Amino acid sequence: MVKETFTDKLIKRFYGITGPLDEQKRQQVDRMGNKAFIVLFFTLLFGNCIAFLLSFKYPELVARVYPILLLIIIWVVGSILTYKFKMSAVNAIDEEELTEKEQKQLKHVGLKSGLYFGISMFLGMPLVQFLVDHKDYFTELFSIRNMLSGIFDAILFGAIMQGWVNARIKQAKSQTDKDDQ
């Protein structure tokens, strides 16, 4: 058995691929990733040129609008990429191809991701308040509002992630049932 390289692990994690990264999945990932890279590269190239030229006359407008436009463009490209992967079933979860370690990781993925997200929000939001409003970090950290917000964020995010993984498993099962018929 060939040991997975760090790059393969990153590719699998980024695109949500479970099981082995075989030649077909690698080709589809490379093809779609290259298309997304080309779109984003030229968007940044021309967008930066336009922003540079407009910044002399409208610096405040460029500072406010340009990051928002980039965020929207990146979100659209990411959504299209996610849709294409869903249609090609590259990242569908096939329980038969999973190792024991991957099956254990999928068992409570919502709980784990919710816990990590909740802790990061619990620690991160007072930092934002400290940097933006110059409020005391520890006072904001241990405030009731921050604690309740962290718990709510963890529960909501964990439930969404668990539902998403369950939907992917259900989709893979229906796809295999459809292929068997």
Side-chain angles (χ1 to χ4, degrees), residues 73-143:
I73 291 169
I74 290 170
W75 183 74
V76 167
V77 169
S79 298
I80 292 170
L81 194 63
T82 303
Y83 176 76
K84 295 274 188 182
F85 272 107
K86 184 177 180 182
M87 290 297 114
S88 67
V90 169
N91 59 353
I93 298 175
D94 189 8
E95 290 181 329
E96 297 167 358
E97 291 183 355
L98 298 178
T99 63
E100 274 186 48
K101 182 180 176 186
E102 289 173 330
Q103 286 177 350
K104 278 184 181 179
Q105 289 174 343
L106 280 179
K107 192 170 188 175
H108 299 290
V109 71
L111 178 66
K112 289 184 242 179
S113 60
L115 187 63
Y116 293 140
F117 185 76
I119 290 172
S120 64
M121 291 302 287
F122 174 73
L123 296 174
M125 289 312 292
L127 183 63
V128 170
Q129 293 292 326
F130 171 73
L131 295 173
V132 174
D133 297 333
H134 305 292
K135 293 183 178 180
D136 184 44
Y137 178 77
F138 292 107
T139 304
E140 287 295 313
L141 180 68
F142 297 113
S143 70

Side-chain angles (χ1 to χ4, degrees), residues 10-181:
L10 282 177
I11 289 171
K12 286 174 60 174
R13 172 71 68 166
F14 184 78
Y15 289 108
I17 298 172
T18 55
L21 187 63
D22 58 4
E23 192 62 32
Q24 178 194 12
K25 288 180 183 178
R26 182 178 291 281
Q27 285 177 350
Q28 287 183 333
V29 164
D30 288 344
R31 183 175 48 84
M32 290 184 209
N34 287 339
K35 286 180 183 178
F37 171 77
I38 290 169
V39 168
L40 291 175
F41 175 78
F42 283 110
T43 299
L44 285 174
L45 183 68
F46 294 124
N48 285 339
C49 290
I50 293 168
F52 178 71
L53 294 174
L54 289 176
S55 67
F56 292 114
K57 190 160 183 155
Y58 309 106
E60 190 174 320
L61 182 67
V62 169
R64 291 181 190 270
V65 173
Y66 185 64
I68 295 169
L69 285 175
L70 281 180
L71 184 65
I72 291 170
I73 291 169
I74 290 170
W75 183 74
V76 167
V77 169
S79 298
I80 292 170
L81 194 63
T82 303
Y83 176 76
K84 295 274 188 182
F85 272 107
K86 184 177 180 182
M87 290 297 114
S88 67
V90 169
N91 59 353
I93 298 175
D94 189 8
E95 290 181 329
E96 297 167 358
E97 291 183 355
L98 298 178
T99 63
E100 274 186 48
K101 182 180 176 186
E102 289 173 330
Q103 286 177 350
K104 278 184 181 179
Q105 289 174 343
L106 280 179
K107 192 170 188 175
H108 299 290
V109 71
L111 178 66
K112 289 184 242 179
S113 60
L115 187 63
Y116 293 140
F117 185 76
I119 290 172
S120 64
M121 291 302 287
F122 174 73
L123 296 174
M125 289 312 292
L127 183 63
V128 170
Q129 293 292 326
F130 171 73
L131 295 173
V132 174
D133 297 333
H134 305 292
K135 293 183 178 180
D136 184 44
Y137 178 77
F138 292 107
T139 304
E140 287 295 313
L141 180 68
F142 297 113
S143 70
I144 297 295
R145 190 186 96 234
N146 186 47
M147 289 181 196
L148 291 176
S149 174
I151 292 169
F152 177 74
D153 292 343
I155 291 171
L156 184 65
F157 188 77
I160 290 171
M161 293 307 294
Q162 189 66 45
W164 181 63
V165 168
N166 289 343
R168 283 182 57 199
I169 291 171
K170 188 176 178 180
Q171 177 192 11
K173 286 180 181 179
S174 67
Q175 185 72 23
T176 55
D177 291 344
K178 192 185 296 183
D179 290 342
D180 290 341
Q181 292 176 354

